[in-house]
Amino acid sequence: MKRLVPMLVIAGCLFMEGLAGAQEAAERQLTLEDIYSPDKDRRLDFSGEVPRITWLDDEHWLERTDAEDDGDGGDGGDGENDGVRLSRVDARTGKAEPFFDVELMTRALAALPGVTEEQAKKRARASRPTSADHGAVLLNFANDLFYYRYGSELARRLTHDPAPEVGEEISPDGLWVSFVRDYNLYLVDIESGRERALTAGGGPELFLGRLDWVYQEEVYGRGNFKGYWWSPDSSHLVYLRLDESPVAEFTVVDHVESPLVTEVTNYPLAGAGNPTVTLGVVPAAGGDTRWIDTSKYQPIQHLIVRVGWTPDSTKVVYQVQDREQTWLDLNTADRKSGSSETLFRETSPAFVNVTGEPQWLEDGSFLWLSERTGYQHLYHFDAAGKLLGQVTSGEWEVSSYYGVDAKGQQVYFAGAAHSPIAPQVYRVPLAGGMPTRLTANEGSHRASFNPGFSMFVDTWSDVRTPPQVRLHDIDGRELRLVAANKVAALERFDLGSVELLQVPARDGYAMEAMLIKPPGFVRSKRYAVLQYNYGGPHAPVVRNAWGGSRYLWHQLLAQHGYVIWMCDNRSASGKGIEPTWIAHRQMGVVELRDIEDGVGWLREQPWVDPERIGIWGWSYGGFMASYALTHSQSFNAGIAGAPVVDWRLYDSIYTERYMAMPQNNLEGYDKTSVVRAAADLHGRLLLIHGTIDDNVHLQNSVQLIHALQKAGKQFELMLYPKSRHGVRDRDQVFHLQQVMTDFILEEL
């Protein structure tokens, strides 16, 4: 018994040490609350504070910092923030001062009739400049437009109308504000407040200067409904006229409200009627519209996919594609007569992407991004469209164009010459030649150059590191660290190792892949695998860049003992457009073949449990997950979020680019349909959809549900009322991540 006491003491000490160790281990285990809690006081900050920088002149920039910016660009989060901080920063020293007097602006706004103190305070705190000189801001709230010049004691209420204004913009000379109201284009004089309509006759079936659903979603950018463009000299505006009468309506129903709330949208399905599009020029002073001559194109069969002006404001520059987007014409049109000329036509063995607008140089020539070789590169043309030379070349692509220096001799861009999964910053002589790499760190870089091209700000991240910001001179030498962005929350957790690798497809093609292994990975164990996939044309998920909340959720699953696998099928890779052409007219077929080859490589690894492999994805990734579960036996379970289940159910412009019209590719639509293959479902399926999704309509999931039920197939379903294509509400985001986590833990 005498020996029992010290043994008890030792045991007690060991117990306390074990308890402390358990508490420490628990501290190092990620939870859903850490990443997604609706309570921001419980949700940890994993992305830190990264300033967004806009150069004001060669020596100063405007620095914007938003709170609660997740930084992953994903579907999670509702975008809530605690306001915006704007500072004027000396680039070289980092000395910062407030960009404007928030209290002064608040008082100026609050003095306006109909504006509450709370509205004024909120808008002032969220303010950021929208004028060309960065000196003024245009605000849209309280169902009207407001203008404020920074440093002024006077704000202006520009509109007084119950109808909402959309697509508002300050003219290049800063004297006018343009906007669309009730489908017509308007101007208001900032100084006098006088308003004039530039068009008449617009309505729900005739959009004048305003984009319809499909043009904003697929052509000019999601959320951008502005369908007009100022001339550089502010004398004229060119605008799109969209006749919606050929387009069928689609109704989205909000079942939460009582009585039901419905949204009716003109939504052109693949093969069905498209809007008829024309292009007109109207003087800012008012007057008749001069219509651009597009008579050589069939009205119902062409798309106008980019619009702009020559620098001297004499010509409209516009791009036209055929409906199935097999070619693209770059045109100019005389502002006065409307007569058009085609500078050149881009063609392709499959489809032609819109790559941007001409980048005009001081001598009247322009730079142009083209994928004509299968890889996106820069070309130099004269004003008449004659090719002067190819600026960049090789089996890699230019991803972003930054500009040309003042002497017009060096072109700056980001590209994949070093790595297809991590863009670097380069310069190259305008005459062409070997690019010079200006950034050194492995990982992904995004640059912002000052106007004189003597310095640039580099935003960098890699798979393990949230974005950091540095200032460099024009030769790439680091001048100072702007934002180290050390995220303390990441140091609290034991995260799994991340590996970037290449795996061969059956024909030897090297596919880019990423592995996240569980902490304490043991090669002798067998692990379940979850593959995250998107798979859509030229849309990789394997990147050597910070992945935000999605990356952290994958790490959470890794801590639960799962291997996370990402492998870009060749048509989804960032290795140029050429590998994407293989998916033309058969989306899903060749993607799945590559995905299965990646899974085949996994199955050869001794640490993979071949009976526990799952797949998940959202949107196109949801299509690929549901397609894989109905056209393959490689997966035991899958999560399909907001999937397209038959390409006949999606919009015309996106679908026909890759699949052609159903009338011209019936076989392709049939063999890529998930609905038609519902009886072949293999493995457990969790289907998720927002009930008011106006992009991939709930109709997709409902048709798949019906087909699965008719085939006697069991599955799980989760709907998110009041959610669109992405779930944004914080409470619903947390619920969504819990549902997906539980499904994976149970089924794999």
Side-chain angles (χ1 to χ4, degrees), residues 250 267-270 643-652 655 662 669 673 675 695-704:
F250 194 94
Y267 187 100
L269 293 170
V644 176
V645 298
D646 190 307
W647 288 106
R648 297 172 182 87
L649 302 178
Y650 198 52
D651 77 64
S652 58
T655 304
Y669 278 81
S673 172
V675 173
N695 183 355
V696 179
H697 295 133
L698 181 61
Q699 178 187 38
N700 283 266
S701 285
V702 171
Q703 287 199 11
L704 180 56

PDB file of all heavy atoms in Angstrom, residues 250 267-270 643-652 655 662 669 673 675 695-704:
ATOM      1  N   PHE A 250     -39.418  32.739 -67.962  1.00  0.00           N
ATOM      2  CA  PHE A 250     -39.275  31.696 -66.944  1.00  0.00           C
ATOM      3  C   PHE A 250     -39.662  32.292 -65.608  1.00  0.00           C
ATOM      4  O   PHE A 250     -39.255  33.413 -65.264  1.00  0.00           O
ATOM      5  CB  PHE A 250     -37.847  31.161 -66.888  1.00  0.00           C
ATOM      6  CG  PHE A 250     -37.723  29.878 -66.113  1.00  0.00           C
ATOM      7  CD1 PHE A 250     -37.768  28.656 -66.764  1.00  0.00           C
ATOM      8  CD2 PHE A 250     -37.606  29.889 -64.727  1.00  0.00           C
ATOM      9  CE1 PHE A 250     -37.679  27.464 -66.057  1.00  0.00           C
ATOM     10  CE2 PHE A 250     -37.521  28.708 -64.013  1.00  0.00           C
ATOM     11  CZ  PHE A 250     -37.556  27.495 -64.681  1.00  0.00           C
ATOM     12  N   TYR A 267     -35.645  34.270 -70.278  1.00  0.00           N
ATOM     13  CA  TYR A 267     -34.522  33.339 -70.120  1.00  0.00           C
ATOM     14  C   TYR A 267     -34.455  32.459 -71.353  1.00  0.00           C
ATOM     15  O   TYR A 267     -35.269  31.548 -71.533  1.00  0.00           O
ATOM     16  CB  TYR A 267     -34.718  32.488 -68.860  1.00  0.00           C
ATOM     17  CG  TYR A 267     -33.541  31.608 -68.484  1.00  0.00           C
ATOM     18  CD1 TYR A 267     -32.655  31.989 -67.484  1.00  0.00           C
ATOM     19  CD2 TYR A 267     -33.323  30.386 -69.121  1.00  0.00           C
ATOM     20  CE1 TYR A 267     -31.584  31.178 -67.114  1.00  0.00           C
ATOM     21  CE2 TYR A 267     -32.250  29.572 -68.766  1.00  0.00           C
ATOM     22  CZ  TYR A 267     -31.390  29.970 -67.766  1.00  0.00           C
ATOM     23  OH  TYR A 267     -30.327  29.159 -67.402  1.00  0.00           O
ATOM     24  N   PRO A 268     -33.486  32.687 -72.256  1.00  0.00           N
ATOM     25  CA  PRO A 268     -33.408  31.882 -73.479  1.00  0.00           C
ATOM     26  C   PRO A 268     -32.733  30.537 -73.227  1.00  0.00           C
ATOM     27  O   PRO A 268     -31.553  30.477 -72.872  1.00  0.00           O
ATOM     28  CB  PRO A 268     -32.560  32.749 -74.414  1.00  0.00           C
ATOM     29  CG  PRO A 268     -31.687  33.536 -73.496  1.00  0.00           C
ATOM     30  CD  PRO A 268     -32.464  33.750 -72.218  1.00  0.00           C
ATOM     31  N   LEU A 269     -33.470  29.458 -73.384  1.00  0.00           N
ATOM     32  CA  LEU A 269     -32.902  28.125 -73.252  1.00  0.00           C
ATOM     33  C   LEU A 269     -32.127  27.758 -74.508  1.00  0.00           C
ATOM     34  O   LEU A 269     -32.326  28.339 -75.585  1.00  0.00           O
ATOM     35  CB  LEU A 269     -34.002  27.099 -73.001  1.00  0.00           C
ATOM     36  CG  LEU A 269     -34.743  27.213 -71.664  1.00  0.00           C
ATOM     37  CD1 LEU A 269     -35.954  26.288 -71.652  1.00  0.00           C
ATOM     38  CD2 LEU A 269     -33.817  26.888 -70.498  1.00  0.00           C
ATOM     39  N   ALA A 270     -31.228  26.800 -74.377  1.00  0.00           N
ATOM     40  CA  ALA A 270     -30.449  26.322 -75.512  1.00  0.00           C
ATOM     41  C   ALA A 270     -31.389  25.930 -76.646  1.00  0.00           C
ATOM     42  O   ALA A 270     -32.340  25.181 -76.447  1.00  0.00           O
ATOM     43  CB  ALA A 270     -29.595  25.132 -75.102  1.00  0.00           C
ATOM     44  N   PRO A 643     -26.930  21.610 -59.774  1.00  0.00           N
ATOM     45  CA  PRO A 643     -26.390  21.052 -61.021  1.00  0.00           C
ATOM     46  C   PRO A 643     -27.262  21.326 -62.232  1.00  0.00           C
ATOM     47  O   PRO A 643     -28.492  21.368 -62.147  1.00  0.00           O
ATOM     48  CB  PRO A 643     -26.381  19.544 -60.719  1.00  0.00           C
ATOM     49  CG  PRO A 643     -27.575  19.353 -59.832  1.00  0.00           C
ATOM     50  CD  PRO A 643     -27.647  20.603 -58.967  1.00  0.00           C
ATOM     51  N   VAL A 644     -26.626  21.513 -63.386  1.00  0.00           N
ATOM     52  CA  VAL A 644     -27.318  21.383 -64.661  1.00  0.00           C
ATOM     53  C   VAL A 644     -27.413  19.881 -64.932  1.00  0.00           C
ATOM     54  O   VAL A 644     -26.394  19.196 -64.965  1.00  0.00           O
ATOM     55  CB  VAL A 644     -26.549  22.075 -65.797  1.00  0.00           C
ATOM     56  CG1 VAL A 644     -27.239  21.836 -67.132  1.00  0.00           C
ATOM     57  CG2 VAL A 644     -26.416  23.564 -65.523  1.00  0.00           C
ATOM     58  N   VAL A 645     -28.611  19.362 -65.115  1.00  0.00           N
ATOM     59  CA  VAL A 645     -28.768  17.914 -65.290  1.00  0.00           C
ATOM     60  C   VAL A 645     -29.126  17.539 -66.723  1.00  0.00           C
ATOM     61  O   VAL A 645     -29.159  16.355 -67.061  1.00  0.00           O
ATOM     62  CB  VAL A 645     -29.811  17.340 -64.310  1.00  0.00           C
ATOM     63  CG1 VAL A 645     -29.369  17.551 -62.868  1.00  0.00           C
ATOM     64  CG2 VAL A 645     -31.183  17.953 -64.553  1.00  0.00           C
ATOM     65  N   ASP A 646     -29.396  18.530 -67.542  1.00  0.00           N
ATOM     66  CA  ASP A 646     -29.587  18.324 -68.978  1.00  0.00           C
ATOM     67  C   ASP A 646     -29.327  19.677 -69.618  1.00  0.00           C
ATOM     68  O   ASP A 646     -29.959  20.676 -69.249  1.00  0.00           O
ATOM     69  CB  ASP A 646     -31.009  17.835 -69.287  1.00  0.00           C
ATOM     70  CG  ASP A 646     -31.162  17.384 -70.727  1.00  0.00           C
ATOM     71  OD1 ASP A 646     -30.824  18.173 -71.642  1.00  0.00           O
ATOM     72  OD2 ASP A 646     -31.615  16.252 -70.960  1.00  0.00           O
ATOM     73  N   TRP A 647     -28.405  19.736 -70.577  1.00  0.00           N
ATOM     74  CA  TRP A 647     -27.993  21.026 -71.119  1.00  0.00           C
ATOM     75  C   TRP A 647     -29.103  21.708 -71.905  1.00  0.00           C
ATOM     76  O   TRP A 647     -28.992  22.898 -72.229  1.00  0.00           O
ATOM     77  CB  TRP A 647     -26.728  20.879 -71.948  1.00  0.00           C
ATOM     78  CG  TRP A 647     -25.538  20.631 -71.066  1.00  0.00           C
ATOM     79  CD1 TRP A 647     -24.862  19.466 -70.880  1.00  0.00           C
ATOM     80  CD2 TRP A 647     -24.928  21.585 -70.185  1.00  0.00           C
ATOM     81  NE1 TRP A 647     -23.860  19.623 -69.947  1.00  0.00           N
ATOM     82  CE2 TRP A 647     -23.870  20.915 -69.509  1.00  0.00           C
ATOM     83  CE3 TRP A 647     -25.150  22.932 -69.908  1.00  0.00           C
ATOM     84  CZ2 TRP A 647     -23.059  21.561 -68.575  1.00  0.00           C
ATOM     85  CZ3 TRP A 647     -24.342  23.566 -68.973  1.00  0.00           C
ATOM     86  CH2 TRP A 647     -23.315  22.892 -68.316  1.00  0.00           C
ATOM     87  N   ARG A 648     -30.192  21.021 -72.176  1.00  0.00           N
ATOM     88  CA  ARG A 648     -31.363  21.677 -72.780  1.00  0.00           C
ATOM     89  C   ARG A 648     -32.014  22.651 -71.809  1.00  0.00           C
ATOM     90  O   ARG A 648     -32.810  23.507 -72.212  1.00  0.00           O
ATOM     91  CB  ARG A 648     -32.396  20.631 -73.211  1.00  0.00           C
ATOM     92  CG  ARG A 648     -31.936  19.652 -74.291  1.00  0.00           C
ATOM     93  CD  ARG A 648     -32.986  18.569 -74.480  1.00  0.00           C
ATOM     94  NE  ARG A 648     -32.597  17.562 -75.456  1.00  0.00           N
ATOM     95  CZ  ARG A 648     -31.875  16.478 -75.191  1.00  0.00           C
ATOM     96  NH1 ARG A 648     -31.427  16.277 -73.947  1.00  0.00           N
ATOM     97  NH2 ARG A 648     -31.573  15.610 -76.135  1.00  0.00           N
ATOM     98  N   LEU A 649     -31.701  22.525 -70.509  1.00  0.00           N
ATOM     99  CA  LEU A 649     -32.337  23.332 -69.479  1.00  0.00           C
ATOM    100  C   LEU A 649     -31.525  24.570 -69.114  1.00  0.00           C
ATOM    101  O   LEU A 649     -31.944  25.343 -68.246  1.00  0.00           O
ATOM    102  CB  LEU A 649     -32.552  22.492 -68.210  1.00  0.00           C
ATOM    103  CG  LEU A 649     -33.397  21.224 -68.363  1.00  0.00           C
ATOM    104  CD1 LEU A 649     -33.486  20.482 -67.041  1.00  0.00           C
ATOM    105  CD2 LEU A 649     -34.791  21.565 -68.887  1.00  0.00           C
ATOM    106  N   TYR A 650     -30.365  24.764 -69.754  1.00  0.00           N
ATOM    107  CA  TYR A 650     -29.536  25.910 -69.388  1.00  0.00           C
ATOM    108  C   TYR A 650     -29.590  26.967 -70.488  1.00  0.00           C
ATOM    109  O   TYR A 650     -30.114  26.739 -71.580  1.00  0.00           O
ATOM    110  CB  TYR A 650     -28.101  25.472 -69.100  1.00  0.00           C
ATOM    111  CG  TYR A 650     -27.326  26.504 -68.317  1.00  0.00           C
ATOM    112  CD1 TYR A 650     -27.846  27.031 -67.134  1.00  0.00           C
ATOM    113  CD2 TYR A 650     -26.107  26.983 -68.753  1.00  0.00           C
ATOM    114  CE1 TYR A 650     -27.169  27.995 -66.411  1.00  0.00           C
ATOM    115  CE2 TYR A 650     -25.406  27.943 -68.038  1.00  0.00           C
ATOM    116  CZ  TYR A 650     -25.953  28.447 -66.873  1.00  0.00           C
ATOM    117  OH  TYR A 650     -25.289  29.412 -66.160  1.00  0.00           O
ATOM    118  N   ASP A 651     -28.999  28.130 -70.202  1.00  0.00           N
ATOM    119  CA  ASP A 651     -29.162  29.271 -71.108  1.00  0.00           C
ATOM    120  C   ASP A 651     -28.413  29.065 -72.422  1.00  0.00           C
ATOM    121  O   ASP A 651     -27.433  28.324 -72.521  1.00  0.00           O
ATOM    122  CB  ASP A 651     -28.769  30.578 -70.424  1.00  0.00           C
ATOM    123  CG  ASP A 651     -27.261  30.783 -70.306  1.00  0.00           C
ATOM    124  OD1 ASP A 651     -26.583  30.898 -71.336  1.00  0.00           O
ATOM    125  OD2 ASP A 651     -26.762  30.851 -69.165  1.00  0.00           O
ATOM    126  N   SER A 652     -28.873  29.783 -73.427  1.00  0.00           N
ATOM    127  CA  SER A 652     -28.403  29.583 -74.796  1.00  0.00           C
ATOM    128  C   SER A 652     -26.945  29.980 -74.998  1.00  0.00           C
ATOM    129  O   SER A 652     -26.178  29.244 -75.640  1.00  0.00           O
ATOM    130  CB  SER A 652     -29.290  30.381 -75.761  1.00  0.00           C
ATOM    131  OG  SER A 652     -29.269  31.766 -75.419  1.00  0.00           O
ATOM    132  N   THR A 655     -24.390  27.565 -73.138  1.00  0.00           N
ATOM    133  CA  THR A 655     -24.516  26.176 -73.581  1.00  0.00           C
ATOM    134  C   THR A 655     -24.129  26.002 -75.033  1.00  0.00           C
ATOM    135  O   THR A 655     -23.391  25.075 -75.392  1.00  0.00           O
ATOM    136  CB  THR A 655     -25.956  25.691 -73.355  1.00  0.00           C
ATOM    137  OG1 THR A 655     -26.308  25.875 -71.977  1.00  0.00           O
ATOM    138  CG2 THR A 655     -26.094  24.226 -73.727  1.00  0.00           C
ATOM    139  N   PRO A 662     -29.199  22.403 -79.693  1.00  0.00           N
ATOM    140  CA  PRO A 662     -29.695  21.019 -79.661  1.00  0.00           C
ATOM    141  C   PRO A 662     -30.121  20.516 -81.038  1.00  0.00           C
ATOM    142  O   PRO A 662     -29.941  19.330 -81.353  1.00  0.00           O
ATOM    143  CB  PRO A 662     -30.881  21.093 -78.696  1.00  0.00           C
ATOM    144  CG  PRO A 662     -30.627  22.286 -77.852  1.00  0.00           C
ATOM    145  CD  PRO A 662     -29.899  23.258 -78.720  1.00  0.00           C
ATOM    146  N   TYR A 669     -26.419  16.147 -76.787  1.00  0.00           N
ATOM    147  CA  TYR A 669     -27.280  16.496 -75.652  1.00  0.00           C
ATOM    148  C   TYR A 669     -27.799  15.240 -74.953  1.00  0.00           C
ATOM    149  O   TYR A 669     -27.902  15.199 -73.723  1.00  0.00           O
ATOM    150  CB  TYR A 669     -28.438  17.373 -76.121  1.00  0.00           C
ATOM    151  CG  TYR A 669     -28.075  18.834 -76.257  1.00  0.00           C
ATOM    152  CD1 TYR A 669     -27.409  19.316 -77.381  1.00  0.00           C
ATOM    153  CD2 TYR A 669     -28.396  19.746 -75.254  1.00  0.00           C
ATOM    154  CE1 TYR A 669     -27.069  20.651 -77.519  1.00  0.00           C
ATOM    155  CE2 TYR A 669     -28.066  21.091 -75.378  1.00  0.00           C
ATOM    156  CZ  TYR A 669     -27.397  21.538 -76.505  1.00  0.00           C
ATOM    157  OH  TYR A 669     -27.059  22.871 -76.617  1.00  0.00           O
ATOM    158  N   SER A 673     -26.778  13.925 -70.806  1.00  0.00           N
ATOM    159  CA  SER A 673     -27.902  14.163 -69.898  1.00  0.00           C
ATOM    160  C   SER A 673     -27.813  13.276 -68.666  1.00  0.00           C
ATOM    161  O   SER A 673     -27.677  12.052 -68.766  1.00  0.00           O
ATOM    162  CB  SER A 673     -29.225  13.906 -70.618  1.00  0.00           C
ATOM    163  OG  SER A 673     -30.306  13.961 -69.714  1.00  0.00           O
ATOM    164  N   VAL A 675     -30.390  13.306 -66.467  1.00  0.00           N
ATOM    165  CA  VAL A 675     -31.774  12.844 -66.317  1.00  0.00           C
ATOM    166  C   VAL A 675     -31.998  11.540 -67.062  1.00  0.00           C
ATOM    167  O   VAL A 675     -32.589  10.590 -66.533  1.00  0.00           O
ATOM    168  CB  VAL A 675     -32.758  13.929 -66.804  1.00  0.00           C
ATOM    169  CG1 VAL A 675     -34.184  13.393 -66.821  1.00  0.00           C
ATOM    170  CG2 VAL A 675     -32.666  15.167 -65.922  1.00  0.00           C
ATOM    171  N   ASN A 695     -30.270  31.222 -62.082  1.00  0.00           N
ATOM    172  CA  ASN A 695     -29.224  30.868 -63.023  1.00  0.00           C
ATOM    173  C   ASN A 695     -29.419  29.419 -63.481  1.00  0.00           C
ATOM    174  O   ASN A 695     -29.862  29.164 -64.593  1.00  0.00           O
ATOM    175  CB  ASN A 695     -27.862  31.078 -62.347  1.00  0.00           C
ATOM    176  CG  ASN A 695     -26.701  30.817 -63.265  1.00  0.00           C
ATOM    177  OD1 ASN A 695     -26.865  30.392 -64.403  1.00  0.00           O
ATOM    178  ND2 ASN A 695     -25.498  31.059 -62.779  1.00  0.00           N
ATOM    179  N   VAL A 696     -29.085  28.469 -62.618  1.00  0.00           N
ATOM    180  CA  VAL A 696     -29.430  27.063 -62.856  1.00  0.00           C
ATOM    181  C   VAL A 696     -30.742  26.821 -62.120  1.00  0.00           C
ATOM    182  O   VAL A 696     -30.766  26.684 -60.900  1.00  0.00           O
ATOM    183  CB  VAL A 696     -28.325  26.121 -62.341  1.00  0.00           C
ATOM    184  CG1 VAL A 696     -28.717  24.667 -62.574  1.00  0.00           C
ATOM    185  CG2 VAL A 696     -27.007  26.430 -63.022  1.00  0.00           C
ATOM    186  N   HIS A 697     -31.826  26.811 -62.842  1.00  0.00           N
ATOM    187  CA  HIS A 697     -33.142  26.781 -62.214  1.00  0.00           C
ATOM    188  C   HIS A 697     -33.373  25.491 -61.424  1.00  0.00           C
ATOM    189  O   HIS A 697     -32.829  24.427 -61.760  1.00  0.00           O
ATOM    190  CB  HIS A 697     -34.238  26.925 -63.271  1.00  0.00           C
ATOM    191  CG  HIS A 697     -34.221  28.239 -63.967  1.00  0.00           C
ATOM    192  ND1 HIS A 697     -34.318  28.369 -65.338  1.00  0.00           N
ATOM    193  CD2 HIS A 697     -34.088  29.515 -63.495  1.00  0.00           C
ATOM    194  CE1 HIS A 697     -34.273  29.649 -65.671  1.00  0.00           C
ATOM    195  NE2 HIS A 697     -34.131  30.355 -64.567  1.00  0.00           N
ATOM    196  N   LEU A 698     -34.196  25.615 -60.392  1.00  0.00           N
ATOM    197  CA  LEU A 698     -34.584  24.454 -59.593  1.00  0.00           C
ATOM    198  C   LEU A 698     -35.197  23.366 -60.466  1.00  0.00           C
ATOM    199  O   LEU A 698     -35.170  22.177 -60.112  1.00  0.00           O
ATOM    200  CB  LEU A 698     -35.562  24.890 -58.496  1.00  0.00           C
ATOM    201  CG  LEU A 698     -36.058  23.807 -57.534  1.00  0.00           C
ATOM    202  CD1 LEU A 698     -34.911  23.173 -56.764  1.00  0.00           C
ATOM    203  CD2 LEU A 698     -37.093  24.386 -56.571  1.00  0.00           C
ATOM    204  N   GLN A 699     -35.717  23.741 -61.600  1.00  0.00           N
ATOM    205  CA  GLN A 699     -36.272  22.784 -62.550  1.00  0.00           C
ATOM    206  C   GLN A 699     -35.285  21.653 -62.835  1.00  0.00           C
ATOM    207  O   GLN A 699     -35.677  20.500 -63.030  1.00  0.00           O
ATOM    208  CB  GLN A 699     -36.626  23.499 -63.857  1.00  0.00           C
ATOM    209  CG  GLN A 699     -37.174  22.599 -64.953  1.00  0.00           C
ATOM    210  CD  GLN A 699     -37.339  23.332 -66.270  1.00  0.00           C
ATOM    211  OE1 GLN A 699     -36.514  24.173 -66.622  1.00  0.00           O
ATOM    212  NE2 GLN A 699     -38.399  23.034 -66.989  1.00  0.00           N
ATOM    213  N   ASN A 700     -33.992  21.971 -62.853  1.00  0.00           N
ATOM    214  CA  ASN A 700     -32.987  20.943 -63.091  1.00  0.00           C
ATOM    215  C   ASN A 700     -33.077  19.836 -62.042  1.00  0.00           C
ATOM    216  O   ASN A 700     -33.174  18.657 -62.380  1.00  0.00           O
ATOM    217  CB  ASN A 700     -31.585  21.565 -63.077  1.00  0.00           C
ATOM    218  CG  ASN A 700     -31.261  22.311 -64.339  1.00  0.00           C
ATOM    219  OD1 ASN A 700     -30.665  21.766 -65.261  1.00  0.00           O
ATOM    220  ND2 ASN A 700     -31.646  23.583 -64.395  1.00  0.00           N
ATOM    221  N   SER A 701     -33.025  20.224 -60.778  1.00  0.00           N
ATOM    222  CA  SER A 701     -33.068  19.210 -59.723  1.00  0.00           C
ATOM    223  C   SER A 701     -34.410  18.504 -59.678  1.00  0.00           C
ATOM    224  O   SER A 701     -34.479  17.297 -59.419  1.00  0.00           O
ATOM    225  CB  SER A 701     -32.751  19.854 -58.366  1.00  0.00           C
ATOM    226  OG  SER A 701     -31.363  20.138 -58.261  1.00  0.00           O
ATOM    227  N   VAL A 702     -35.498  19.234 -59.927  1.00  0.00           N
ATOM    228  CA  VAL A 702     -36.821  18.605 -59.899  1.00  0.00           C
ATOM    229  C   VAL A 702     -36.930  17.544 -60.992  1.00  0.00           C
ATOM    230  O   VAL A 702     -37.469  16.444 -60.759  1.00  0.00           O
ATOM    231  CB  VAL A 702     -37.928  19.670 -60.046  1.00  0.00           C
ATOM    232  CG1 VAL A 702     -39.292  19.005 -60.241  1.00  0.00           C
ATOM    233  CG2 VAL A 702     -37.950  20.574 -58.810  1.00  0.00           C
ATOM    234  N   GLN A 703     -36.422  17.820 -62.180  1.00  0.00           N
ATOM    235  CA  GLN A 703     -36.472  16.812 -63.239  1.00  0.00           C
ATOM    236  C   GLN A 703     -35.635  15.589 -62.884  1.00  0.00           C
ATOM    237  O   GLN A 703     -36.023  14.454 -63.166  1.00  0.00           O
ATOM    238  CB  GLN A 703     -36.015  17.414 -64.571  1.00  0.00           C
ATOM    239  CG  GLN A 703     -37.032  18.364 -65.174  1.00  0.00           C
ATOM    240  CD  GLN A 703     -36.817  18.602 -66.665  1.00  0.00           C
ATOM    241  OE1 GLN A 703     -36.029  17.922 -67.312  1.00  0.00           O
ATOM    242  NE2 GLN A 703     -37.540  19.566 -67.214  1.00  0.00           N
ATOM    243  N   LEU A 704     -34.472  15.816 -62.252  1.00  0.00           N
ATOM    244  CA  LEU A 704     -33.651  14.679 -61.831  1.00  0.00           C
ATOM    245  C   LEU A 704     -34.339  13.897 -60.715  1.00  0.00           C
ATOM    246  O   LEU A 704     -34.325  12.660 -60.719  1.00  0.00           O
ATOM    247  CB  LEU A 704     -32.275  15.167 -61.377  1.00  0.00           C
ATOM    248  CG  LEU A 704     -31.304  14.068 -60.915  1.00  0.00           C
ATOM    249  CD1 LEU A 704     -31.096  13.017 -61.993  1.00  0.00           C
ATOM    250  CD2 LEU A 704     -29.972  14.685 -60.481  1.00  0.00           C
TER     251      LEU A 704
END
